[in-house]
Amino acid sequence: MASPNTPEVSTPLVHPEIEKVELKYLTIREYKQLRAIMEKAYAMLPDAAWSRGEIQQLIERFPEGQVAIHINGQLAGCALSIIVDYKKFNDNHTYEEITGKYTFDTHDPEGNILYGVDVFVAPQFRGLRLGRRMYDYRKELCEEWNLEGIMFGGRLPKYHEYADELTPKQYIDRVKSKDIHDPVLNFQFANDFVVKKIMKNYLEGDHESKEYAALLMWNNVLYSPPTRKVGVDKSVVRLGLVQWQMRPYKSIEELLEHAEYFVDAVAAYRSDFALFPEFFNAPLMADYNDLPEPEAIRKLAEFTEPLVKKFSEFSISYNINIITGSMPSVEDGQLFNVGYLCKRDGTVEKFYKLHVTPDEAKVWGMVGGTQLRAFDTDCGKIGILICYDVEFPELPRLLAEQDVDILFVPFLTDTQNGYSRVRHCAQARAIENECYVAIAGSVGNLPKVHNMDIQYAQSMVFTPCDFAFPSNGVKAEATPNTEMILVADVDLDLLKELHEHGSVHNLRDRRTDVYSLKLR
């Protein structure tokens, strides 16, 4: 039997090359790997690992509550939980009592609290915020099953160092005030858990905690008694748009530090997507301002690969799908404007700007790509078009025929009239294709970068214009020409309703007997 709820500690480690991260239900076939991880993670405790029979019991009783993180097909961590009728217990329970002497017969599908039995991450994968990803799953499970909240007894692994001078309450207060770093409590506080009570004799043999534990709770604000919504599919998708300000950077590391700040900010609101603007990395061209413009942009292209690799790491660490805006890329001697969809499962997909502007072709020698496709994500099908592409109605219509619900448009415009073209065309695309359209651009000035001197932007989320949506078709809008984030929820079920019962049917009423559109 292991110690409960010891999440990963964010210790900087050198991680193996990550190709794919997956969150799956745990199976008993993975027990051998699970046991090896637990013995390493809980080396300081007696009887560190759950037995095969105990894990089998958990999976059989509540398969949805047992999830595993896989990295490149290898088990990297687990989160185990049960549902309890908390009225049968009190705030002075022990770990043995809440788990029914480790039989888990206290699991009650009709209960009101999701109780965390254990969380652990393999030491070699710590620092990737995998613990937070599993806690996000627990929160979503709690919301879908309409449970009141999540509870568990959190260990105090560093309390033994302070037990002679501090009571457990004083210790926790010092952790809250950042005077003491406790890896468990710091993690839980960052995940919106609060201390409900301090429990004595919680886990027998936990000498580090002096057998004390903090009873921690996260309240489900969406809870509505007494109706349970079992198995409800997620239909509301949260979008995080980054209205990026152009500014000089001394290095790629400094730019990435700023980018991570925004990823962290939108992820903190549990956004499903983060959208960056077109050519957000242009400030890195400042060092090459002495070169002819076609050479300078190709020097900028040398940063694309390391930027994409880092953004993929961010998507995993912050559990969010990131659309990187766009960057220059040299392929077979030709210069393209490309972007990347870095999914939170670790996979990376590429998209091209098909219509380069006359300025991009004339000044940089850029050429348009030839690939147009929809992307499958954990939030449905999406499309991505770069700036000028949204001014060509054929492309969004072809994506709509592939059942795209959300169209993302990273853009960069220098003047207000250029912005107005993108803005009004994007809104038209939302109406005529009965989908959501999110646009994000850059603001500010870059006086030391040729052809990128000024920017004008107002990031927005557009909807179709019908009764279920805002009457002006604008779901959310940022302040013009101000660095900020814009977070907005879009309901995919409203689109389904619109397709069938809308006032008009722009997609369905097309006269395909008179005209047609074909992707070659």
Side-chain angles (χ1 to χ4, degrees), residues 284-303:
L284 297 176
M285 269 200 298
D287 287 344
Y288 312 109
N289 217 29
D290 58 318
L291 299 175
E293 288 157 336
E295 294 181 30
I297 192 74
R298 283 164 175 77
K299 294 295 288 186
L300 180 63
E302 295 176 7
F303 292 102

Side-chain angles (χ1 to χ4, degrees), residues 39 175 310 418:
E39 287 176 344
V175 173
K310 201 65 183 175

Side-chain angles (χ1 to χ4, degrees), residues 328-481:
S329 177
V330 178
E331 302 173 15
D332 297 325
Q334 291 187 304
L335 180 67
F336 295 93
N337 187 347
V338 302
Y340 299 84
L341 170 60
C342 298
K343 298 181 183 179
R344 50 185 156 201
D345 69 358
T347 57
V348 177
E349 299 189 78
K350 192 175 189 178
F351 54 92
Y352 290 80
K353 188 173 187 176
L354 274 65
H355 300 85
V356 299
T357 64
D359 190 66
E360 287 173 313
K362 179 180 177 181
V363 177
W364 290 331
M366 190 167 277
V367 297
T370 58
Q371 299 177 19
L372 176 72
R373 53 175 292 231
F375 297 94
D376 290 310
T377 74
D378 54 8
C379 298
K381 276 196 174 182
I382 69 165
I384 310 170
L385 296 176
I386 303 173
C387 196
Y388 194 32
D389 280 340
V390 81
E391 298 179 31
F392 296 83
E394 297 89 348
L395 301 186
R397 177 52 53 86
L398 289 166
L399 291 172
E401 291 179 346
Q402 298 179 55
D403 299 321
V404 161
D405 289 321
I406 307 171
L407 176 63
F408 292 94
V409 182
F411 71 91
L412 184 146
T413 49
D414 54 356
T415 62
Q416 193 166 357
N417 57 315
Y419 163 74
S420 294
R421 288 194 297 269
V422 172
R423 179 243 191 272
H424 291 297
C425 288
Q427 185 164 19
R429 305 298 86 92
I431 295 169
E432 65 200 18
N433 296 299
E434 299 178 345
C435 66
Y436 296 106
V437 179
I439 66 173
S442 294
V443 302
N445 306 313
L446 278 178
K448 292 187 178 181
V449 178
H450 292 313
N451 208 41
M452 302 290 291
D453 310 74
I454 57 175
Q455 280 72 225
Y456 181 93
Q458 183 181 18
S459 302
M460 306 183 83
V461 177
F462 300 111
T463 73
C465 291
D466 213 322
F467 296 114
F469 307 94
S471 58
N472 65 352
V474 178
K475 174 68 175 178
E477 55 187 339
T479 304
N481 263 15

Side-chain angles (χ1 to χ4, degrees), residues 71 74 108 115 136 146 158 215 220 248 303 306 309 369 374 379 399 419 470 497 511 514:
I71 294 183
Q74 176 184 351
D108 182 355
Y115 199 95
D136 285 346
N146 194 38
K158 294 187 72 175
L215 181 59
N220 176 16
F303 292 102
K309 182 178 181 180
C379 298
L399 291 172
Y419 163 74
E497 181 75 13
R511 289 288 306 275
V514 177

Side-chain angles (χ1 to χ4, degrees), residues 83-256:
I83 296 174
V84 298
D85 181 356
Y86 200 69
K87 295 188 296 293
K88 296 179 181 179
F89 302 90
N90 59 53
D91 291 344
N92 292 315
H93 63 266
T94 66
Y95 189 61
E96 185 177 12
E97 290 169 345
I98 202 75
T99 58
K101 295 185 177 179
Y102 321 122
T103 64
F104 310 111
D105 59 9
T106 51
H107 173 68
D108 182 355
E110 302 300 318
N112 64 321
I113 292 291
L114 184 70
Y115 199 95
V117 171
D118 211 337
V119 172
F120 50 90
V121 174
Q124 68 268 32
F125 293 115
R126 290 176 180 171
L128 290 173
R129 296 182 177 86
L130 301 181
R132 184 161 90 168
R133 182 179 295 229
M134 291 187 285
Y135 270 75
D136 285 346
Y137 169 80
R138 280 181 172 176
K139 291 174 183 177
E140 291 177 4
L141 183 66
C142 194
E143 291 170 354
E144 290 178 2
W145 283 63
N146 194 38
L147 302 174
E148 290 185 39
I150 304 170
M151 295 179 69
F152 56 84
R155 298 179 58 237
L156 312 177
K158 294 187 72 175
Y159 178 59
H160 65 282
E161 298 177 14
Y162 300 88
D164 292 339
E165 54 184 292
L166 299 175
T167 66
K169 182 182 184 304
Q170 291 171 331
Y171 173 80
I172 291 171
D173 289 340
R174 292 277 298 275
V175 173
K176 286 181 179 178
S177 63
K178 309 295 185 184
D179 293 330
I180 296 174
H181 174 76
D182 182 287
V184 174
L185 289 178
N186 284 122
F187 177 86
Q188 311 302 352
F189 293 154
N191 278 278
D192 303 319
F193 283 83
V194 296
V195 176
K196 197 166 185 280
K197 185 180 174 56
I198 297 169
M199 300 184 291
K200 295 177 65 175
N201 305 317
Y202 180 71
L203 181 67
E204 185 178 357
D206 184 5
H207 302 300
E208 287 187 332
S209 306
K210 299 293 184 181
E211 297 191 359
Y212 285 102
L215 181 59
L216 291 151
M217 183 167 188
W218 174 82
N219 288 297
N220 176 16
V221 297
L222 301 180
Y223 172 71
S224 60
T227 305
R228 167 167 293 171
K229 300 177 182 178
V230 180
V232 176
D233 292 331
K234 180 178 181 181
S235 68
V236 176
V237 178
R238 182 160 293 176
L239 312 181
L241 280 54
V242 178
Q243 189 156 286
W244 175 274
Q245 180 166 336
M246 295 292 197
R247 52 166 63 83
Y249 293 102
K250 296 177 182 177
S251 64
I252 185 175
E253 289 78 18
E254 189 176 1
L255 181 140
L256 280 167

